Amino acid sequence: MRNRCTSVVAGVAGVLLLSGLAFGQGGTPQNTAPRSPWKYYPEDARANEGPGGPAPVRDMSGTWAGESSGAGVKRLVPPERNPAFTPLGKEMFDKNKAEGTGVLIAQSNDPHVRYCDPFGFPRNMNDQIRSMTIATLPTRTFVMLKFMNIWREIWTDGRALPTRFAGRGADVHDPIYNGYSVGRWTDDYTFVVETTGMAGETWATEGGLPHSVDAKVTERFNRSSKNDLSLAMTMDDPKLYSKPVSLGEVNFRWIPSQTFFDFTYVPSSVQMYLKEMADPASSPGAAR
Amino acid sequence: MKRHLLATGLSSLGLLSILIAPASAHHGNAAYADDVTEFKQATVTQFAWANPHALIYFDAKDAQGKDVHMVVETAAPQALRLIGWEKASVQPGDIITVRMYVSKNGNPAGRLQKIILADGSDLHDTQLGGDEGGKSRYDPDGFRK
Amino acid sequence: MRPIVVALVVLAGLATVGDAQERLTREDFIVEGVRKMPNPPGPAPARDLSGVWVGPQDEKDDPVPPMTPAGEAIFKERHAYGDATRTADLGMSNDPFITCDPLGFPRNLLAHAVSGRGRMIFASAPGRLLIAYEQQRIWREVWTDGRALPKAVDVRGAPESRYYGHSVGRWENDNTFVIDTTGVDERPWLNEEGHPRSSSARIQERYVRRDQYNLQLTVTIDDPKYYTKPWTFMRGNFYWVLGQEFAETFCIPSEAIEYRDSLARPSGIQAR
């Protein structure tokens, strides 16, 4: 088995339709092994350089490679780390113990890290955003995330966002992990999505930025060429932040084979990892 | 699977060679020693190809010739695939060499630097997979995180 | 007198707050929670599965056939929730869904915990049909570009097995879409009872659009590694969803674990 991807000879964009032969011997270098259409080859995605042609009009459909995909995607701009909190926002932020410098996994209270809870939106668009597939129907657009195989729904039928998430009444909507999203094309290459109603137990970012259920997140997707899609996100949440917060910018590249790695996150595996590794590693004298 | 506390400390681990190198801080890896410990002729008992981190369980002998049952963590599958790993890269029963940063608190666990397979090829960790030791990173072109 | 009393109870139960709300009766529903469309169905559009569907209803499944010794060995280690009769240990369930592990395919078709009311919607991307499910908010990818299924998984150079497998699909005629799947990860259970399925199993779905509002699904499994013969895992009907929307339905692991640890176990409910 090779130990470096860099010596792979760049493949062409086309994919051989092989039947996925079983390789009994180990150590077959990946760059000379027959290609399976069922596998993602990051070197092939990297070899697909340049714009690839003009952007199709009002169309983002397909499978995209994002951050840390091996596709050579331009580095993202991370979310703000020190936004302008209100006192309530700071209080909530201080309670969120994100795994990072000075905070081990065993000390974190990130519900995703400790339990494998879904990220929810907007974190699922700025954390582990290695690949997504976009599909368009007449009145809605789906963003189908590879991480945990979770999909989001963006309504494009002109409806208004809900405004009430508490109390009783026919117009009250339950807060949900993905929030309620509406979207529209503002020009032929820019699709703007607004989302609100995200359940408050989720974090807006890996760094633990909180959000209220009334937060409104705006995403601007821009397709600048056949191969390039960018996404910029901001969050407006006056209860917790005295001005809008940048949630960063993510870049995507078209994947010629339209295939990506499977990317599961399984709660029982997380519990096993915490029990076997993370928690004992953080506990002086803890026996396994 | 039974686990044995490493009562005699890090120096008892073997079959060993310990490489001393400057410490390099990294979040989450502060729990692990600053130098590499090597286990030769390690028998893989389980390979958990899973998030958040893949785990390799293996049996080896310490410097006193006693059996130790270890678990070593490496990166997540989506990161490892970018540097040559596959779900089938390691199977129970494989005899490999494991180079790892063991846990400071004496637990039979640690973070991988790299494994060397029977055919002589190697597979690295990401965060601590650099051949320079000292918890250096392994970061070939095209790979991030 | 009793039928009138029952009808009144039903009406009272279904009545909603507000003068503008319509009063619904049992006849307004296909099954509990599934509204009937106000007009009769038109003919099935050709080669078109689009829309939001809910089901399965009228489920008629064949019994699971005898297993091979390998299948039996796995089945023996699985303890279904609520079934204390088959095991020699404490009778505690080790169903991975208790901690919200992905259901996997084809168990997700059984619309776990929302019997008869599991929704799905079909979409497309280049070379694929996509299916988005209500349960756990997951999606599957079905390749329609003519490729063959992988011959093997989880060996060096081959694709990995996946919780939802590897799928190809094609139109058999104007009303029937057939999906073949293999390469499923073996960890998820086949069904609530805990039957196994191997990564080499071939699972076929046949979607027959009978008319505008009815989609019949038949799922067959051929898994010689664990079963002595193929069988029909599921036959059921999916109905067109009035309003074409559905809720977000997640199994949240932290909530599931809290339930297990703070209620189920102390109460003696069998959840490991």
Side-chain angles (χ1 to χ4, degrees):
Chain A
M1 176 74 67
R2 291 179 44 256
N3 63 333
R4 290 182 68 92
C5 284
T6 50
S7 59
V8 169
V9 173
V12 295
V15 175
L16 298 176
L17 285 181
L18 296 174
S19 56
L21 300 173
F23 300 118
Q25 67 276 24
T28 305
Q30 191 155 345
N31 60 335
T32 62
R35 290 291 204 252
S36 167
W38 297 99
K39 292 180 71 173
Y40 168 66
Y41 298 92
E43 61 272 27
D44 290 350
R46 274 203 304 284
N48 182 41
E49 293 178 344
V57 167
R58 303 199 172 206
D59 185 356
M60 301 186 298
S61 310
T63 300
W64 298 90
E67 172 74 4
S68 300
S69 60
V73 176
K74 186 175 150 204
R75 204 72 199 259
L76 57 69
V77 174
E80 278 187 62
R81 286 207 161 262
N82 295 299
F85 290 111
T86 62
L88 177 60
K90 185 72 169 66
E91 183 187 327
M92 289 176 67
F93 177 65
D94 287 344
K95 287 182 185 158
N96 291 346
K97 304 269 177 278
E99 187 223 346
T101 305
V103 179
L104 299 176
I105 291 173
Q107 297 151 348
S108 170
N109 62 356
D110 181 342
H112 178 75
V113 167
R114 294 300 307 178
Y115 294 102
C116 190
D117 283 4
F119 279 151
F121 180 82
R123 185 175 173 185
N124 57 15
M125 296 300 289
N126 61 53
D127 191 1
Q128 298 298 333
I129 185 73
R130 298 180 193 236
S131 178
M132 64 178 179
T133 295
I134 295 180
T136 305
L137 295 179
T139 57
R140 61 192 127 182
T141 293
F142 290 115
V143 176
M144 293 165 139
L145 299 165
K146 208 59 182 168
F147 187 56
M148 297 178 75
N149 273 98
I150 287 172
W151 56 274
R152 293 175 54 207
E153 186 174 52
I154 300 165
W155 287 94
T156 55
D157 60 355
R159 65 179 62 186
L161 280 174
T163 54
R164 291 187 62 207
F165 307 103
R168 299 171 71 88
D171 64 336
V172 174
H173 288 69
D174 286 341
I176 54 177
Y177 271 62
N178 283 297
Y180 299 87
S181 301
V182 296
R184 70 195 188 285
W185 290 94
T186 57
D187 61 46
D188 284 344
Y189 309 104
T190 306
F191 186 70
V192 175
V193 181
E194 291 181 318
T195 304
T196 189
M198 294 91 67
E201 50 265 44
T202 62
W203 294 7
T205 64
E206 183 186 20
L209 291 186
H211 67 82
S212 74
V213 70
D214 298 305
K216 190 178 281 188
V217 176
T218 302
E219 296 164 275
R220 292 183 90 76
F221 291 87
N222 181 262
R223 190 163 187 180
S224 57
S225 73
K226 178 181 180 241
N227 286 338
D228 292 286
L229 180 69
S230 64
L231 167 62
M233 303 170 66
T234 54
M235 179 166 69
D236 190 14
D237 194 358
K239 275 187 190 153
L240 306 187
Y241 304 93
S242 53
K243 56 180 184 164
V245 180
S246 167
L247 297 181
E249 294 173 28
V250 186
N251 296 292
F252 298 91
R253 292 279 295 172
W254 180 260
I255 303 176
S257 69
Q258 291 287 283
T259 295
F260 196 74
F261 297 134
D262 205 28
F263 198 174
T264 52
Y265 209 79
V266 178
S268 60
S269 297
V270 169
Q271 293 305 311
M272 179 178 82
Y273 172 75
L274 294 175
K275 178 171 168 253
E276 295 283 337
M277 287 299 305
D279 291 347
S282 306
S283 307
R288 288 179 49 254
Chain B
M1 177 173 299
K2 288 173 69 176
R3 300 270 177 255
H4 298 282
L5 269 181
L6 302 172
T8 51
L10 298 177
S11 61
S12 72
L13 296 173
L15 304 163
L16 304 179
S17 56
I18 298 180
L19 307 174
I20 308 298
S24 167
H26 189 285
H27 79 80
N29 297 317
Y32 300 127
D34 296 331
D35 43 33
V36 169
T37 303
E38 185 174 85
F39 294 86
K40 293 187 162 125
Q41 298 294 308
T43 302
V44 176
T45 55
Q46 187 184 345
F47 179 41
W49 179 248
N51 272 304
H53 290 170
L55 303 176
I56 305 174
Y57 296 79
F58 63 92
D59 293 342
K61 289 197 185 297
D62 67 11
Q64 282 70 47
K66 286 204 187 111
D67 289 339
V68 289
H69 308 289
M70 305 285 295
V71 59
V72 64
E73 67 171 328
T74 179
Q78 54 270 17
L80 295 177
R81 288 185 189 109
L82 300 181
I83 54 169
W85 291 73
E86 289 182 309
K87 189 175 180 179
S89 290
V90 178
Q91 317 259 8
D94 286 355
I95 309 293
I96 61 175
T97 295
V98 179
R99 291 167 58 86
M100 63 188 282
Y101 296 91
V102 296
S103 182
K104 281 179 185 168
N105 63 11
N107 278 337
R111 179 89 192 205
L112 187 71
Q113 184 208 28
K114 67 179 184 183
I115 58 172
I116 303 169
L117 303 177
D119 65 1
S121 60
D122 54 10
L123 292 169
H124 293 247
D125 179 39
T126 52
Q127 289 180 13
L128 305 188
D131 283 315
E132 302 78 15
K135 292 179 172 174
S136 58
R137 192 177 169 80
Y138 183 72
D139 199 1
D141 294 348
F143 165 74
R144 283 192 175 76
K145 216 169 171 182
Chain C
M1 183 66 94
R2 184 174 292 178
I4 297 172
V5 170
V6 168
L8 286 172
V9 168
V10 167
L11 284 172
L14 294 173
T16 52
V17 175
D19 293 340
Q21 297 282 356
E22 55 185 316
R23 303 266 172 185
L24 301 171
T25 69
R26 194 183 295 277
E27 284 68 40
D28 293 306
F29 292 84
I30 297 290
V31 292
E32 182 189 344
V34 179
R35 286 286 304 276
K36 191 186 285 185
M37 291 295 289
N39 47 297
R47 304 204 171 207
D48 187 350
L49 298 177
S50 57
V52 179
W53 302 90
V54 59
Q57 303 114 24
D58 299 327
E59 210 178 319
K60 294 177 184 60
D61 312 329
D62 286 352
V64 176
M67 286 176 274
T68 62
E72 284 283 359
I74 294 172
F75 185 55
K76 199 173 68 163
E77 298 301 315
R78 293 180 174 177
H79 316 312
Y81 184 73
D83 177 9
T85 60
R86 289 194 298 108
T87 65
D89 67 5
L90 299 173
M92 301 281 273
S93 173
N94 56 358
D95 185 342
F97 192 60
I98 285 175
T99 49
C100 299
D101 278 13
L103 287 167
F105 179 79
R107 187 178 178 188
N108 71 305
L109 298 180
L110 302 176
H112 184 92
V114 284
S115 306
R117 304 200 296 271
R119 288 161 173 80
M120 64 182 176
I121 183 169
F122 295 91
S124 64
R128 284 155 288 179
L129 175 80
L130 305 173
I131 313 176
Y133 293 93
E134 175 183 356
Q135 266 298 322
Q136 293 187 296
R137 203 75 177 188
I138 63 97
W139 59 281
R140 285 172 63 207
E141 196 169 50
V142 179
W143 289 89
T144 55
D145 60 354
R147 67 180 60 186
L149 284 171
K151 281 203 166 58
V153 292
D154 294 341
V155 292
R156 290 205 172 102
E160 292 178 17
S161 58
R162 297 187 174 197
Y163 270 71
Y164 294 90
H166 301 270
S167 302
V168 295
R170 67 194 186 283
W171 285 100
E172 193 171 83
N173 56 47
D174 281 350
N175 298 326
T176 305
F177 190 79
V178 179
I179 301 176
D180 288 300
T181 302
T182 192
V184 291
D185 187 300
E186 297 199 7
R187 285 171 289 181
W189 291 11
L190 174 67
N191 53 23
E192 302 225 355
E193 291 74 37
H195 289 97
R197 82 260 193 280
S198 77
S199 62
S200 55
R202 292 286 287 251
I203 304 167
Q204 187 176 85
E205 300 153 87
R206 297 178 68 82
Y207 294 88
V208 178
R209 189 149 188 188
R210 297 192 288 130
D211 57 40
Q212 186 182 11
Y213 299 144
N214 290 280
L215 183 64
Q216 180 84 20
L217 170 61
T218 305
V219 182
T220 54
I221 298 179
D222 184 11
D223 190 359
K225 184 173 176 189
Y226 291 150
Y227 298 93
T228 53
K229 59 178 183 173
W231 81 105
T232 299
F233 170 74
M234 188 183 96
R235 282 183 204 85
N237 191 64
F238 284 76
Y239 191 76
W240 184 266
V241 173
L242 178 70
Q244 291 287 288
E245 294 189 36
F246 52 95
E248 180 183 89
T249 301
F250 272 126
C251 180
I252 303 296
S254 60
E255 294 172 359
I257 289 170
E258 185 180 344
Y259 168 79
R260 181 195 66 188
D261 295 346
S262 65
L263 186 93
R265 283 179 177 169
S267 304
I269 295 171
Q270 291 161 358
R272 185 186 295 177

